[in-house]
Amino acid sequence: MGFFRSSFLGFVCLLLFSSFLVMNLALTLDSSLKYENVQKEIPPLVTELTNGSGGLLSLVDTKGIDINQATDKAKTAMETYCQNNTEYTFVFEGRTISVPCSSLQSDNPLESVLNETVSSFVGDFYYKEYDCSFWSCLTKEKVPFFLVSQKAKDYWHQQFIFALMASFVLVILLFFLAESKANWPVLVGGLLILSAAPMLKIKEFISLFIPEKIHVISLFLNIFFSKAYATFWISFIVGLVLIGLGLGLKFSNAEFVKNILDKVEKKEVEKKVVEKKEIKKAGKKK
């Protein structure tokens, strides 16, 4: 393999690794921002913003809302009401909220009631029509709830599709650059696994750069990367399958496998011979 081809192969591997990394990141954000997941993960964030003293609290107009106090009153009322009923309904900030009486049977009844209360408000900002592009919303929204909205999910889904397509093109290019075709799936699988590894610690890594005075932002990270481990295992398993396929092709004695690889390599050799002949003919004409 010539120096130019080796250098180009290394460059393509670097591009493929970067593309896989972006693909894994976008897939993590896309899957983490599903409505059901946001609804489950959002209560601690909203509670901190409305009742806590985090850095973002000064940026949001809470209008005197005290969710903890409201849910504490609801829990107290439920203890009597639920003796003969299965569901308790109360009004909070103009919204009717229904809490199953089974919430009182959980390990932390108050937290269960709080989660039911907060979850009822998720649809308001998740499906909201934001009149701005994804990045311009960062400067327009005081508290960027749009980051955990349908708008954000659609944006990251688009990035995932783009990265997936780019990765596919690079994988095909890598196939033609690889001198040994049997090593091609091993190389692709290895790069996929390596690119997925950062997903295991990405939340902790980003947290290092968040100032203490706005620590509440870390609660957003809990939502963003709640599916990071799932993404890692998907890429890890696919990578292992590719590596296994490559090793199987490399050590297999099956004739059809050898024939396929021989035909591909033979075509490349014939192509090189034709190119050399054309170069010689062009030189003679001169």
Side-chain angles (χ1 to χ4, degrees):
M1 186 182 291
F3 174 76
F4 176 77
R5 186 174 181 179
S6 298
S7 300
F8 189 55
L9 176 63
F11 179 67
V12 172
C13 286
L14 181 61
L15 286 179
L16 183 57
F17 173 81
S18 301
S19 183
F20 278 156
L21 184 62
V22 173
M23 183 184 72
N24 282 315
L25 177 61
L27 177 60
T28 297
L29 291 166
D30 180 26
S31 56
S32 296
L33 293 178
K34 290 181 179 178
Y35 178 79
E36 296 78 9
N37 192 61
V38 172
Q39 188 178 42
K40 181 179 71 173
E41 300 287 343
I42 201 68
L45 173 61
V46 176
T47 303
E48 178 73 16
L49 287 174
T50 55
N51 300 313
S53 55
L56 288 179
L57 184 61
S58 60
L59 300 179
V60 63
D61 180 13
T62 61
K63 300 178 181 179
I65 298 175
D66 190 338
I67 293 180
N68 281 339
Q69 183 180 20
T71 53
D72 187 45
K73 290 181 178 178
K75 173 184 171 294
T76 302
M78 287 176 65
E79 290 174 349
T80 301
Y81 184 82
C82 286
Q83 291 179 4
N84 300 308
N85 298 276
T86 59
E87 187 176 75
Y88 177 74
T89 301
F90 67 102
V91 178
F92 177 63
E93 293 299 314
R95 182 181 295 273
T96 300
I97 299 171
S98 297
V99 181
C101 289
S102 58
S103 299
L104 294 177
Q105 307 302 319
S106 64
D107 295 335
N108 191 331
L110 182 59
E111 183 178 340
S112 297
V113 176
L114 175 63
N115 290 346
E116 291 287 343
T117 304
V118 172
S119 295
S120 66
F121 288 87
V122 173
D124 291 353
F125 64 80
Y126 187 84
Y127 293 111
K128 178 182 176 182
E129 292 292 333
Y130 293 93
D131 188 22
C132 52
S133 65
F134 180 83
W135 293 106
S136 64
C137 278
L138 282 172
T139 57
K140 288 186 176 181
E141 298 289 324
K142 289 185 177 181
V143 179
F145 278 121
F146 80 94
L147 289 174
V148 288
S149 68
Q150 180 69 52
K151 183 182 183 70
K153 184 186 184 306
D154 291 342
Y155 173 82
W156 291 115
H157 182 73
Q158 291 175 359
Q159 303 311 305
F160 168 70
I161 296 299
F162 177 78
L164 181 63
M165 294 174 63
S167 298
F168 179 77
V169 172
L170 291 170
V171 166
I172 298 300
L173 180 59
L174 192 62
F175 175 80
F176 290 105
L177 289 173
E179 189 172 85
S180 174
K181 304 308 177 187
N183 289 333
W184 167 69
V186 176
L187 185 57
V188 173
L191 289 173
L192 182 58
I193 291 175
L194 286 175
S195 68
M199 296 301 106
L200 295 175
K201 292 294 181 182
I202 189 168
K203 185 177 72 172
E204 290 78 2
F205 176 74
I206 296 177
S207 297
L208 294 175
F209 301 95
I210 299 177
E212 181 62 27
K213 63 180 180 180
I214 54 173
H215 68 90
V216 72
I217 291 181
S218 63
L219 295 175
F220 276 103
L221 299 183
N222 291 337
I223 300 175
F224 295 154
F225 303 113
S226 57
K227 299 297 181 181
Y229 277 81
T231 298
F232 167 78
W233 284 112
I234 291 173
S235 294
F236 183 77
I237 292 172
V238 173
L240 281 184
V241 170
L242 289 172
I243 291 174
L245 177 63
L247 294 176
L249 291 174
K250 190 172 184 179
F251 298 108
S252 175
N253 292 319
E255 284 299 322
F256 78 94
V257 174
K258 286 187 176 182
N259 290 335
I260 292 175
L261 296 178
D262 288 342
K263 285 180 181 179
V264 173
E265 292 179 356
K266 185 178 179 180
K267 286 183 179 179
E268 288 192 3
V269 172
E270 290 175 350
K271 184 179 179 181
K272 289 180 181 178
V273 172
V274 172
E275 290 177 351
K276 288 181 179 179
K277 287 182 178 180
E278 290 179 350
I279 293 173
K280 288 181 178 180
K281 287 181 180 179
K284 289 180 178 180
K285 289 182 180 180
K286 291 181 180 180

